[in-house]
Amino acid sequence: MRHPALPAVQRTLAGVKELGIPLIYFPNHGATLMADAATAGAHVLGVDWRLPLSTAREIVGPAVAVQGNLDPAALFAPREELGRQIRRVLAEAGNEPGHIFNLGHGIERHTEPDALAWLVDRVHEWTEGIHAG
């Protein structure tokens, strides 16, 4: 499937590229559009929770970083399960540089702030020292 909005996305990204800031593009529900999205001109592609990060990395290659992709529903799980899901995302991302941990979509409005804080603390703890230097 061809990415129907790709020309508009490319024009938009080209128009702001001169700002010199990292550009992140999130093609929501875009698992089938990843190859095209990788050509849009963004530095980072957001990956929703439906596509494994390892698959996204295979599709887009090393030139584009990936962001994501914890299922936001995991924030409602007990801490032990949330921890398993965090570790799964980190494992899927692999050890190569170019991954920004994030949710694979937005935060549900009833999410407890403590769950988010716990998530951030675990990601920092479990990735400390990776790619440092």
Side-chain angles (χ1 to χ4, degrees):
M1 175 180 190
R2 190 84 181 126
H3 187 328
L6 186 61
V9 171
Q10 288 172 322
R11 284 191 307 274
T12 302
L13 292 173
V16 297
K17 199 163 212 126
E18 68 187 41
L19 296 174
I21 57 173
L23 302 174
I24 301 172
Y25 172 45
F26 178 56
N28 191 21
H29 299 287
T32 60
L33 308 174
M34 278 290 143
D36 283 346
T39 69
H43 301 103
V44 181
L45 286 179
V47 181
D48 74 23
W49 57 270
R50 296 167 190 90
L51 180 67
L53 285 174
S54 59
T55 302
R57 281 185 178 279
E58 286 176 22
I59 294 168
V60 305
V64 179
V66 292
Q67 176 175 292
N69 73 339
L70 182 71
D71 182 347
L75 291 165
F76 294 97
R79 295 294 189 262
E80 184 176 321
E81 178 58 23
L82 177 55
R84 275 195 291 274
Q85 294 303 315
I86 294 167
R87 287 190 184 278
R88 180 191 54 75
V89 168
L90 292 172
E92 279 289 326
N95 292 323
E96 298 300 316
H99 172 242
I100 300 167
F101 192 98
N102 202 344
L103 299 178
H105 203 288
I107 297 172
E108 300 291 331
R109 69 183 185 122
H110 296 295
T111 302
E112 291 293 330
D114 287 347
L116 290 166
W118 194 87
L119 167 107
V120 169
D121 289 345
R122 296 299 74 73
V123 170
H124 286 174
E125 176 184 340
W126 296 338
T127 60
E128 186 178 347
I130 293 179
H131 311 299

